[in-house]
Amino acid sequence: MDRQAFQIILNYLSDGVILMDEQRSIYYLNQKAKDLTGWHIGGLVPYCSYCRIREVQPGEQRCILALDNPLPLFQAHMPTYEGVDESLEMSSSRIEIEDESYIILTVRDPKWNMEKEKNKIKRLLVHDTLRAQEETQKRLTQELHDHIGQSVYSVFLGLQGLKGATINDRYQKHLQLLDHTLQQTMEDIKRLSKQLRPVIIDQLGIKQALQDSVKDWEYIYKIAIALHIEDIAMIDKEKELHIYRIIQEAVRNAVKHGQATAIDISFKVEADTLYFKIEDNGKGFNVLASKKNGFGLYHMIERMEMIGGKIDWESNIGEGTKVIGSIKLKEK
Ligand SMILES: Nc1ncnc2c1ncn2[C@@H]1O[C@H](COP(=O)(O)OP(=O)(O)O)[C@@H](O)[C@H]1O
Ligand SMILES: [Mg+2]
């Protein structure tokens, strides 16, 4: 590789790299080092906050980096040429180039790394929580179907028997009422279990699950929902479930916060990307200010992150809301 290629690589590093001699004269520094320190080639590396005050033995160099065994990694304040003290993490190593001794100094902004690390861990935790939540909801759905659903159904069947055996008009009326209530209860259980986990999505995929759910949402929320969706091949079940959950939350938000009366859900494939859009005619909102308000938007963003996609909102107060997601389709 030629010299220029190395320069490009060095300038892409997230750490600052500085080459200096024993007298701390700077021979080279990459872009990150320039950004972090404000130093320049030909200038001197200033003493760090530690070296400025440390006790120096007679004959010893003040700069800790110039010692024979410099510390591998330490944190100190380094002054920039403008006099601003920056807290940096530093490590150094000695190298020999053509019989001359140099020191390679790497610098890093500890705040930047800590924030980034903390953010990464937080997001991984959220992803785990979302996965665990899906598992719990799946189990609850199973329980609801296998136990409560079955029991209610047995009572319903018993009631049908009683209805057939009772001639008394007064009892017939009561039984009729019970029959009606039980049918309602069975419908409610079915809807609740579908909201918890649309089993249909595991069996038939997102298209059928959405077609089915849209009917339920129209009924529950008393709202008109148009759904435009073709068969979607090439995305796996996990991705379908996350997209389904995002749409579920977008519909809930449109109704709950936007007081929308109509929602349009559409899917589109362009090149190798699947786009989906949930558009409502509600009150709209200030997107930037609301992203930190509730868990809904945050979880939608994290779900898309989990499956390698993106999501964004277009909305203004008084203008309705568009939620637009995109995800790359698998190679054929
Ligand atoms: N479709 C929408 N129409 C109007 N406001 C919305 C819409 N979606 C989200 N919002 C606003 O964004 C905020 C955050 O939404 P979300 O994170 O889902 O929180 P919540 O848990 O309260 O539903 C809501 O409180 C609401 O003000
Ligand atoms: Mg919400």
Side-chain angles (χ1 to χ4, degrees):
M1 243 189 280
D2 64 12
R3 210 182 141 88
Q4 210 186 354
F6 273 113
Q7 296 252 341
I8 292 171
I9 293 170
L10 281 163
N11 280 333
Y12 263 99
L13 293 181
S14 56
D15 285 356
V17 178
I18 299 138
L19 182 71
M20 66 181 201
D21 67 11
E22 302 261 354
Q23 281 68 48
R24 305 190 326 283
S25 282
I26 301 171
Y27 279 74
Y28 169 81
L29 73 175
N30 71 348
Q31 191 53 47
K32 189 71 194 179
K34 283 181 199 161
D35 296 345
L36 282 172
T37 63
W39 304 337
H40 51 72
I41 292 174
L44 283 181
V45 169
Y47 290 123
C48 70
S49 53
Y50 174 69
C51 289
R52 270 176 276 162
I53 55 163
R54 83 185 186 95
E55 259 183 54
V56 181
Q57 301 303 317
E60 193 191 30
Q61 296 236 38
R62 174 158 294 281
C63 175
I64 198 167
L65 303 168
L67 300 182
D68 281 342
N69 291 310
L71 297 175
L73 181 72
F74 65 106
Q75 209 180 351
H77 286 268
M78 289 299 272
T80 61
Y81 291 151
E82 284 80 36
V84 187
D85 256 19
E86 291 287 347
S87 170
L88 295 177
E89 233 168 54
M90 292 183 284
S91 63
S92 64
S93 44
R94 230 170 237 287
I95 52 162
E96 301 282 328
I97 306 173
E98 292 162 359
D99 289 339
E100 292 285 335
S101 181
Y102 293 89
I103 295 160
I104 297 178
L105 179 63
T106 38
V107 291
R108 183 184 296 162
D109 182 356
K111 293 189 294 299
W112 185 78
N113 272 311
M114 248 164 49
E115 277 310 305
K116 229 178 122 176
E117 277 307 300
K118 263 201 281 188
N119 237 328
K120 208 164 88 187
I121 291 168
K122 187 172 143 203
R123 300 180 85 168
L124 287 178
L125 277 174
V126 170
H127 295 181
D128 275 350
T129 311
L130 286 172
R131 274 190 209 103
Q133 194 184 50
E134 287 298 346
E135 276 310 304
T136 311
Q137 293 190 190
K138 196 174 178 180
R139 218 191 54 236
L140 279 177
T141 308
Q142 199 73 43
E143 293 271 317
L144 206 56
H145 176 266
D146 292 353
H147 299 287
I148 300 172
Q150 289 304 324
S151 306
V152 173
Y153 187 60
S154 301
V155 175
F156 173 75
L157 287 183
L159 191 68
Q160 301 316 306
L162 271 181
K163 265 169 66 185
T166 308
I167 316 158
N168 186 318
D169 256 7
R170 228 178 89 214
Y171 287 135
Q172 268 297 349
K173 249 192 207 138
H174 280 304
L175 291 176
Q176 206 64 44
L177 215 68
L178 278 179
D179 186 28
H180 180 75
T181 311
L182 267 182
Q183 284 194 42
Q184 200 69 49
T185 307
M186 285 193 298
E187 280 300 315
D188 288 346
I189 291 174
K190 226 161 84 185
R191 243 193 323 271
L192 177 64
S193 107
K194 265 197 282 184
Q195 260 177 295
L196 274 173
R197 171 90 178 195
V199 179
I200 205 170
I201 201 167
D202 301 315
Q203 295 161 350
L204 300 172
I206 189 168
K207 182 181 169 189
Q208 272 83 357
L210 279 174
Q211 284 171 337
D212 189 59
S213 296
V214 157
K215 284 190 222 134
D216 287 342
W217 294 334
E218 286 191 308
Y219 174 81
I220 307 169
Y221 300 132
K222 312 281 175 268
I223 190 171
I225 303 179
L227 173 69
H228 313 275
I229 183 169
E230 300 292 318
D231 285 320
I232 305 167
M234 297 179 292
I235 66 168
D236 61 43
K237 287 274 175 289
E238 197 206 345
K239 288 181 183 160
E240 289 196 348
L241 181 64
H242 286 299
I243 295 174
Y244 175 87
R245 291 299 191 204
I246 287 166
I247 293 172
Q248 196 178 26
E249 176 66 16
V251 168
R252 235 184 333 235
N253 279 350
V255 174
K256 186 171 128 194
H257 302 299
Q259 272 90 51
T261 54
I263 298 175
D264 193 284
I265 304 169
S266 58
F267 283 75
K268 177 175 79 174
V269 176
E270 246 175 43
D272 59 348
T273 305
L274 169 72
Y275 295 89
F276 60 91
K277 185 171 76 185
I278 306 103
E279 195 171 353
D280 71 55
N281 67 347
K283 296 195 303 195
F285 70 112
N286 181 332
V287 179
L288 262 183
S290 303
K291 271 192 179 162
K292 296 179 204 93
N293 275 8
F295 282 117
L297 303 188
Y298 181 53
H299 284 173
M300 287 158 97
I301 294 169
E302 289 309 319
R303 281 186 190 276
M304 280 315 276
E305 163 87 20
M306 281 166 84
I307 59 175
K310 288 199 191 81
I311 188 162
D312 221 332
W313 283 257
E314 277 175 30
S315 186
N316 282 307
I317 291 167
E319 281 181 15
T321 299
K322 275 186 211 162
V323 187
I324 300 160
S326 65
I327 180 169
K328 284 243 181 303
L329 293 166
K330 244 191 281 175
E331 312 277 293
K332 271 191 208 173

